[in-house]
Amino acid sequence: MAAAKTHHHGNLREALVEAGIALLSEGGPGALTLRKAAARAGVSHAAPAHHFDGLPGLLAEIALRGFEMFHAHLDQRCRAETSDDPFAQLMAANSAYVEFARCHRALFQLMFVEVEHSTPPLRLAAVRCYGVLQEKCRPLCGDRDPAAFESAVWALTHGYVALGMAEPRPNAPAQVPSYETLLRMLVRPEGEPAR
Amino acid sequence: MAAAKTHHHGNLREALVEAGIALLSEGGPGALTLRKAAARAGVSHAAPAHHFDGLPGLLAEIALRGFEMFHAHLDQRCRAETSDDPFAQLMAANSAYVEFARCHRALFQLMFVEVEHSTPPLRLAAVRCYGVLQEKCRPLCGDRDPAAFESAVWALTHGYVALGMAEPRPNAPAQVPSYETLLRMLVRPEGEPAR
DNA sequence: GCACCGAACTTTACACTGTCAATTACACGG
DNA sequence: CCGTGTAATTGACAGTGTAAAGTTCGGTGC
């Protein structure tokens, strides 16, 4: 708010990031442009240069924001899971993962493939997200190496999402099983809730 | 060869695809440009329009070629695996998967995220690649639903690769376990080669 | 042999992108 | 009230994809 009628924007950095995310969610990747973001924030096309290191800088900043949103989403869905069954807890986190990717396609893709700057805060935000899944994996790990088990769950989840978004869908659309089925396959040996 | 000195290229379509792949492997994504590909093929910048539906068309064609290379690579590595142990067979296919992605980063990314046209032959080529893994999964499926097991293996593998290429590496570089460890975790319940 | 036709390619032009340099408007400290 | 520096503007440039018009050539009908 505030920011009077001066040609100073107030806090442009923030506005540009939000404009970028909006563009991304409205028009997919490729709709995100320095100039369009600047226009949407109400400034001239060269203004962003004073706040980011060019387009890659803006992308990195948007990715950072994306990981923060991602973490918030994971966290919220985990808290919302009332059951204290370890599998239900893990499932809450991971279905939140899938849900976020579906709900923020372009942003998700940007976060995981299109960023090339990778500042320390960005890495940190990503690690925090990993931490959520890590925590939920622990109780189901059993006698396996925790790091390996976490990585497997993480890879399974991310791969499920990535393949689900890929355009030349390798497996026919109808026969793609639910995510839960896949996760159970990885966890089963220990938990045995079976049903 | 041949193609005389006429201003006709002979078969430009092919040359453009190969030029595109070369650009991709030399300068990563973003180095691939209609104009650069045209220049490398020795034609003017507007020539590609007569062979592809613009840039998306070229991308789709390159992706198709990518999947064909992918399939050839998977197939070759499978044949090269002398052991008839089912796990060794599956491992051969999947390590070929990982290897291909590492060896053709930009092309791999293009194949799985940057293509938006998705012609029928492209889908078919992708399905053929899926078929290789599918076949190797069957013997290790056990009492599980085959489709679910295949999908899990596929997702695990693809996720492992995708996360390995992602820039803001979510898990610290040192602690990332070998792919084989992850795959064993998914397969174990049946095979029990254990070591 | 020759005119013609259509496909392959070139030339030209345009809108749009990221980035840079020069310039202006403004808040603030002396 | 005047500098000074930050935030923004304007203008320019090279490069991008794409569309339209022009050119060159291989082949076909006569």
Side-chain angles (χ1 to χ4, degrees):
Chain A
M1 324 312 167
K5 189 67 63 42
T6 158
H7 85 272
H8 282 58
H9 181 285
N11 81 355
L12 184 54
R13 192 178 173 93
E14 201 51 30
L16 285 170
V17 170
E18 278 171 19
I21 292 182
L23 285 169
L24 225 37
S25 97
E26 289 168 15
L32 172 53
T33 284
L34 259 185
R35 290 171 111 105
K36 286 201 202 117
R40 181 177 281 237
V43 295
S44 77
H45 65 265
H50 296 270
H51 296 272
F52 305 104
D53 182 17
L55 180 61
L58 177 58
L59 294 188
E61 201 68 18
I62 289 180
L64 169 58
R65 175 61 59 93
F67 274 108
E68 289 169 354
M69 291 167 59
F70 192 28
H71 182 269
H73 185 72
L74 293 176
D75 204 51
Q76 189 254 319
R77 281 289 188 282
C78 284
R79 291 185 200 286
E81 176 58 63
T82 59
S83 162
D84 57 353
D85 171 45
F87 185 83
Q89 285 281 331
L90 178 60
M91 190 58 199
N94 285 7
S95 63
Y97 195 111
V98 175
E99 187 180 4
F100 184 88
R102 289 230 174 91
C103 198
H104 300 88
R105 272 186 74 96
L107 179 57
F108 187 83
Q109 270 185 194
L110 170 63
M111 288 159 53
F112 281 99
V113 348
E114 254 145 88
V115 55
E116 56 195 26
H117 254 47
S118 187
T119 65
L122 176 56
R123 275 189 290 271
L124 186 108
V127 168
R128 284 184 71 213
C129 293
Y130 184 70
V132 175
L133 268 68
Q134 201 170 29
E135 180 192 344
K136 301 301 176 189
C137 280
R138 205 54 61 101
L140 290 160
C141 178
D143 59 345
R144 313 169 178 103
D145 173 25
F149 181 63
E150 294 155 12
S151 288
V153 171
W154 179 253
L156 182 81
T157 307
H158 189 82
Y160 180 80
V161 167
L163 289 174
M165 300 198 310
E167 201 31 65
R169 209 69 70 76
N171 31 0
Q175 74 188 31
V176 47
S178 80
Y179 169 74
E180 183 171 356
T181 311
L182 304 197
L183 183 58
R184 278 232 146 78
M185 212 156 264
L186 194 52
V187 171
R188 175 165 45 154
E190 314 306 320
E192 302 291 11
R195 69 108 61 261
Chain B
M1 322 315 167
K5 190 68 62 42
T6 158
H7 84 273
H8 283 56
H9 181 284
N11 83 355
L12 184 53
R13 192 178 173 93
E14 201 51 30
L16 285 170
V17 171
E18 279 171 19
I21 292 182
L23 285 169
L24 224 39
S25 96
E26 289 168 15
L32 172 53
T33 285
L34 259 186
R35 291 171 111 105
K36 287 200 202 118
R40 182 176 280 237
V43 294
S44 80
H45 66 265
H50 296 267
H51 297 273
F52 305 104
D53 182 18
L55 180 59
L58 176 58
L59 296 187
E61 201 67 19
I62 289 181
L64 169 57
R65 174 62 57 92
F67 274 108
E68 289 169 355
M69 292 168 56
F70 192 28
H71 178 72
H73 185 72
L74 294 176
D75 205 51
Q76 189 254 319
R77 282 287 188 282
C78 285
R79 292 186 200 285
E81 175 58 63
T82 58
S83 162
D84 57 351
D85 171 46
F87 185 83
Q89 285 280 331
L90 178 59
M91 190 59 199
N94 285 6
S95 63
Y97 195 111
V98 175
E99 187 181 5
F100 183 88
R102 290 230 174 93
C103 199
H104 301 89
R105 273 185 73 96
L107 179 58
F108 187 83
Q109 270 184 195
L110 170 63
M111 288 160 53
F112 283 97
V113 348
E114 256 145 90
V115 55
E116 56 195 29
H117 255 46
S118 188
T119 65
L122 177 55
R123 275 188 290 271
L124 186 107
V127 167
R128 284 185 71 215
C129 293
Y130 184 71
V132 175
L133 268 67
Q134 199 170 30
E135 181 191 343
K136 301 301 175 187
C137 280
R138 207 53 62 102
L140 291 159
C141 177
D143 60 345
R144 313 172 180 97
D145 172 24
F149 181 64
E150 293 155 12
S151 288
V153 170
W154 179 253
L156 183 81
T157 307
H158 189 82
Y160 180 80
V161 167
L163 289 174
M165 300 198 311
E167 201 31 64
R169 209 68 70 76
N171 29 1
Q175 74 189 33
V176 46
S178 79
Y179 170 74
E180 182 170 356
T181 310
L182 304 197
L183 182 59
R184 279 232 145 79
M185 214 156 263
L186 193 53
V187 171
R188 178 164 44 153
E190 314 306 322
E192 303 291 12
R195 62 100 76 262

